Amino acid sequence: MACFLVSAAEAIVVKAVEKGVEKKESASHKEGELQVEETHKIPFSRKLKWLCRMLCGGSVLLAFEHVWHGEVVPWFPFLTAASDPNDAAEMLHEMSTVGVAMAVLVTVVWIGMCVVADVIVKRPEKNIESSKAL
Amino acid sequence: MTLLITIFAAVVVTVLWYNRKNDDMRLGTLCFLFWGASLMWLVDAIFEFAELKMEYFTPAPEDMLNDAFLGLAVVALALVIWLVRLLIADPKGSVRRALKKE
């Protein structure tokens, strides 16, 4: 009914955090605080960008699905379920179950992605050559 | 059906992204768009399966057709979003060149 709103809200929070982290990183980069080891690391702001894109993309496409099914309308209160108290309760229940589960799954997958990305970046060139031979 | 179509789109775009020569086409954005939506619909499908049990795998033909149309419409919308972003970012400078010409 409105499960996409949870992911959309998380996307807004992530975007704000991303901007803050990006500022911090560029400031420390200017001051030359970066260690040699850190230059081979993927910046955290870039990783947050991945999460933000997944959350935003998913929310937009899911919102479209809700428009398709007539659950989101272009007039107030925008959610058809919000106009009826019984439907509103059901909508809130769905948001707290399906919506939260969606946001959690995307975040968990993103954490896995970050770990794998760090491993790939740290992998020596030799391994890349040997995997090419397979 | 919507989940399946979105997953197929995500896989195809990811393969294209992996084989890219450069980042001019910004395929990464499209990848995240499709994978984000696929994960969300996967959760939706799990909850629906928990409710309907085996009935989930035998949808009515009319519902399946509607879901297929929705899946295709979702893919079309994602492609339009990606295209608009690409044209605005204009990494190759093609739009800028075309506009300057006139």
Side-chain angles (χ1 to χ4, degrees):
Chain A
M1 280 176 168
C3 45
F4 67 94
L5 287 179
V6 180
S7 305
E10 192 190 337
I12 293 167
V13 173
V14 170
K15 191 74 194 169
V17 174
E18 182 204 309
K19 288 288 165 199
V21 172
E22 212 170 40
K23 252 186 193 171
K24 249 187 187 175
E25 280 173 354
S26 63
S28 64
H29 194 74
K30 271 180 195 166
E31 288 169 17
E33 279 176 13
L34 280 179
Q35 303 288 322
V36 180
E37 202 181 299
E38 278 184 332
T39 53
H40 295 291
K41 263 185 166 180
I42 303 166
F44 189 57
S45 60
R46 194 172 163 207
K47 288 176 184 169
L48 284 173
K49 214 169 262 180
W50 300 343
L51 177 60
C52 191
R53 282 183 185 170
M54 272 204 288
L55 288 168
C56 285
S59 302
V60 168
L61 296 184
L62 239 75
F64 177 72
E65 187 220 335
H66 286 72
V67 172
W68 183 280
H69 288 135
E71 292 165 354
V72 175
V73 286
W75 54 84
F76 192 79
F78 306 110
L79 301 164
T80 44
S83 49
D84 182 58
N86 285 336
D87 286 347
E90 200 186 320
M91 179 185 79
L92 289 173
H93 178 258
E94 201 195 89
M95 279 169 76
S96 61
T97 51
V98 185
V100 170
M102 281 173 178
V104 168
L105 180 68
V106 172
T107 311
V108 166
V109 168
W110 169 74
I111 292 169
M113 250 174 74
C114 291
V115 171
V116 173
D118 280 335
V119 170
I120 291 172
V121 168
K122 278 181 193 160
R123 195 190 284 167
E125 290 289 318
K126 205 176 126 191
N127 281 11
I128 298 169
E129 289 304 317
S130 62
S131 65
K132 266 183 189 172
L134 289 173
Chain B
M1 204 62 170
T2 313
L3 171 67
L4 271 177
I5 290 172
T6 320
I7 288 178
F8 276 124
V11 170
V12 169
V13 174
T14 308
V15 170
L16 290 174
W17 171 83
Y18 187 77
N19 285 315
R20 75 199 186 285
K21 295 271 187 286
N22 50 48
D23 215 16
D24 282 350
M25 295 305 283
R26 306 269 169 111
L27 285 169
T29 308
L30 202 53
C31 279
F32 285 122
L33 216 78
F34 281 134
W35 281 118
S38 299
L39 289 172
M40 289 182 189
W41 268 310
L42 178 69
V43 172
D44 215 23
I46 291 167
F47 273 88
E48 216 174 313
F49 175 74
E51 198 183 306
L52 300 172
K53 303 280 182 253
M54 294 316 283
E55 216 178 292
Y56 175 77
F57 296 108
T58 50
E62 202 178 309
D63 291 342
M64 231 167 92
L65 189 68
N66 187 267
D67 267 0
F69 267 128
L70 173 61
L72 292 174
V74 161
V75 172
L77 177 70
L79 288 173
V80 168
I81 292 171
W82 165 73
L83 191 67
V84 169
R85 271 186 64 109
L86 181 72
L87 292 178
I88 292 170
D90 194 22
K92 279 187 167 178
S94 303
V95 178
R96 197 181 146 85
R97 266 197 307 277
L99 290 173
K100 271 193 164 182
K101 224 180 196 180
E102 293 179 17

